[in-house]
Amino acid sequence: MSSHSQLMTPSTSLLLSKTRSHNHDGLSTYRFSKRCRSRQILCRAKTTVSAESESQSSFPTLTTVSIPFSQLKDKNADLSLKIDEGFGRNGLGILSVTDVPGYSSLRANLLQLAPRLANLPKEVKEELEDPHSRYNFGWSHGKEKLESGKPDLLKGSFYANPILDTPTTEPSLVQRYPSYCGSNIWPRSALPELEVAFKALGNLMFDVGLMLAYHCDQYVSKGMKIHKDEGLKPILHRSRCHKGRLLYYFPSQQGVQDGNSLSSWCGWHTDHGSLTGLTCGMFMRDGREIPCPDSAAGLYIRTRSDQIVKVVYGKDDIAYQIGETTEILSGGYLCATPHCVQAPKGKGTAGIERSTFALFMQPDWDERLSFPEEIHIHKELIPSNAALTFGEYSEILLDKYYHQKQ
């Protein structure tokens, strides 16, 4: 993976349950059902246990269900089995797309820029900060909190909308939803290559994500009625607030010291958007790419049977994870899962740096969502039977993880 932070923006740990539907004067509304239950995990991937992970807690390693790009782009292909295995009630909430033309070079081009960005002069990076958006545009370092409540100094992030530089020019919207409606901030003088590489990779992952969303709609439509404009693909296609995040994990002279914590690089959370595209991380030492020095490091997922598994996918694959908003959109046919990232540890990990990229595909800020009667987490923030737009929902959650608006 996955390069998540405690809040892999936008993300958090909201777990929803129960069915409730509302009518909002013709506005699109979505139902959530309690179809996502803890059941035995079903996955075609062969389970293997590495010696290192077995010595820790015997967490099995699973390879993601994968879909070749040639099949994904075929609208007539029936991918329901793979969608079910990856995103369904017994899946891991993740699958990968293989053999995407041009992807490998675009990934390398962007990830190699992350250390250069992180090592820009302090005054340059300060010009890239946007406190008003809660640091959801431009450069961010030490603005989020770890599970311990301490500022996260392990990683730096650069956020931008790869599809639209300026999603809206309406001042009231920029003031109300600054984390989505703000404008991109590019280091056009200090690092002009970043904008080109960021947009190229982000747009490719967005296009592939839309193809995947189409097949998700085909799968969900077999179990529930979806109006033409209410499927995942049209919702994502018309949205103006997608967000890319380039992450850079700073090298440590001693290696990561957070003991046996699985979440030493990224705390447990569940993405709250719709679909998160992920690159495989790039590890480097002294400016050279190296293999990950610890086979136990990486993405861990908690399944709906409450089992923790390590999840892997190919270096040249694009992984996509389901977010909780899609769980609402799909009536529970597609399910999100909590996940975290463990840092490498042990001998040979000092001086290791890591770069990765995530694309958060999510509804527009004015897309209306209907929430269930019972909310088990964040119930102090979201009232029962709430009818909120995605923007309102996100701002409530971001308040919990970021500084208040400046």
Side-chain angles (χ1 to χ4, degrees):
M1 154 148 185
S2 157
S3 28
H4 308 328
S5 78
Q6 171 63 16
L7 179 71
M8 186 177 181
T9 305
S11 58
T12 187
S13 302
L14 181 64
L15 302 179
L16 306 174
S17 67
K18 284 204 171 182
T19 302
R20 193 82 178 183
S21 60
H22 301 270
N23 185 352
H24 294 286
D25 301 323
L27 293 172
S28 298
T29 60
Y30 309 106
R31 295 179 303 123
F32 181 92
S33 83
K34 21 179 209 182
R35 294 188 178 93
C36 291
R37 290 299 191 190
S38 296
R39 298 185 184 180
Q40 181 180 3
I41 185 170
L42 301 177
C43 183
R44 290 195 305 171
K46 183 177 180 180
T47 300
T48 60
V49 181
S50 69
E52 289 185 47
S53 63
E54 186 174 23
S55 66
Q56 292 177 14
S57 301
S58 300
F59 297 122
T61 298
L62 300 178
T63 301
T64 58
V65 173
S66 63
I67 300 175
F69 178 77
S70 58
Q71 293 182 16
L72 189 72
K73 69 178 183 179
D74 182 2
K75 289 189 174 182
N76 295 319
D78 183 0
L79 301 181
S80 56
L81 177 60
K82 289 192 174 183
I83 297 294
D84 182 67
E85 288 178 321
F87 292 158
R89 303 167 194 173
N90 300 301
L92 292 172
I94 186 172
L95 57 74
S96 58
V97 180
T98 64
D99 305 318
V100 178
Y103 168 71
S104 298
S105 61
L106 294 182
R107 168 187 171 270
N109 289 345
L110 180 60
L111 298 192
Q112 289 171 358
L113 294 176
R116 291 178 58 188
L117 173 66
N119 289 307
L120 288 175
K122 179 181 178 182
E123 59 271 18
V124 174
K125 288 186 289 188
E126 287 177 346
E127 292 178 357
L128 299 174
E129 292 182 345
D130 184 12
H132 180 65
S133 70
R134 298 182 180 87
Y135 302 91
N136 275 255
F137 282 97
W139 175 251
S140 173
H141 181 221
K143 309 304 180 183
E144 301 171 26
K145 294 180 180 179
L146 297 168
E147 289 174 331
S148 63
K150 297 179 180 179
D152 182 1
L153 300 176
L154 298 174
K155 67 181 79 70
S157 301
F158 183 84
Y159 297 96
N161 183 331
I163 314 302
L164 295 169
D165 272 321
T166 304
T168 179
T169 57
E170 176 56 50
S172 63
L173 287 174
V174 176
Q175 181 65 31
R176 187 175 186 186
Y177 303 130
S179 60
Y180 296 132
C181 299
S183 296
N184 289 334
I185 307 171
W186 299 107
R188 286 175 171 155
S189 297
L191 192 62
E193 308 97 310
L194 180 65
E195 179 179 358
V196 176
F198 195 105
K199 288 180 176 179
L201 180 60
N203 274 272
L204 177 63
M205 292 173 66
F206 177 69
D207 290 342
V208 175
L210 287 182
M211 295 178 190
L212 180 57
Y214 169 83
H215 289 285
C216 286
D217 287 339
Q218 299 302 110
Y219 170 77
V220 172
S221 67
K222 294 182 178 181
M224 62 179 284
K225 184 177 180 180
I226 301 178
H227 294 292
K228 184 178 180 181
D229 63 343
E230 291 185 359
L232 183 61
K233 181 181 178 181
I235 286 172
L236 294 178
H237 186 265
R238 64 177 175 254
S239 175
R240 295 162 288 177
C241 62
H242 306 295
K243 186 69 63 69
R245 181 185 189 185
L246 177 64
L247 290 106
Y248 174 73
Y249 294 77
F250 291 92
S252 168
Q253 295 306 310
Q254 297 81 29
V256 175
Q257 298 296 307
D258 194 5
N260 295 318
S261 172
L262 273 183
S263 56
S264 51
W265 249 354
C266 169
W268 283 100
H269 67 283
T270 306
D271 294 356
H272 87 254
S274 295
L275 198 61
T276 302
L278 306 168
T279 68
C280 190
M282 176 184 289
F283 291 85
M284 301 182 74
R285 178 189 280 127
D286 299 327
R288 292 186 177 184
E289 185 176 1
I290 62 171
C292 178
D294 180 3
S295 63
L299 174 65
Y300 286 80
I301 288 176
R302 186 181 297 277
T303 73
R304 277 167 292 280
S305 58
D306 207 32
Q307 178 188 18
I308 295 176
V309 299
K310 184 176 185 291
V311 177
V312 297
Y313 52 93
K315 172 183 174 181
D316 296 320
D317 300 349
I318 308 177
Y320 288 91
Q321 285 185 293
I322 286 294
E324 290 164 342
T325 301
T326 292
E327 202 161 326
I328 299 169
L329 295 172
S330 69
Y333 281 99
L334 304 174
C335 300
T337 49
H339 46 275
C340 72
V341 182
Q342 177 169 273
K345 57 185 178 180
K347 295 181 180 179
T349 61
I352 296 295
E353 53 186 342
R354 178 176 181 261
S355 305
T356 191
F357 178 77
L359 176 66
F360 304 101
M361 301 174 64
Q362 52 217 357
D364 205 69
W365 53 79
D366 60 4
E367 201 78 56
R368 188 170 292 275
L369 307 173
S370 294
F371 293 88
E373 183 177 358
E374 293 183 12
I375 297 178
H376 299 291
I377 298 178
H378 300 308
K379 58 185 177 181
E380 76 283 4
L381 301 176
I382 301 175
S384 298
N385 302 325
L388 303 172
T389 65
F390 182 76
E392 292 167 342
Y393 166 48
S394 299
E395 289 298 305
I396 289 173
L397 298 181
L398 289 173
D399 276 341
K400 184 171 182 176
Y401 290 93
Y402 286 86
H403 302 298
Q404 299 292 321
K405 296 179 185 177
Q406 302 294 310

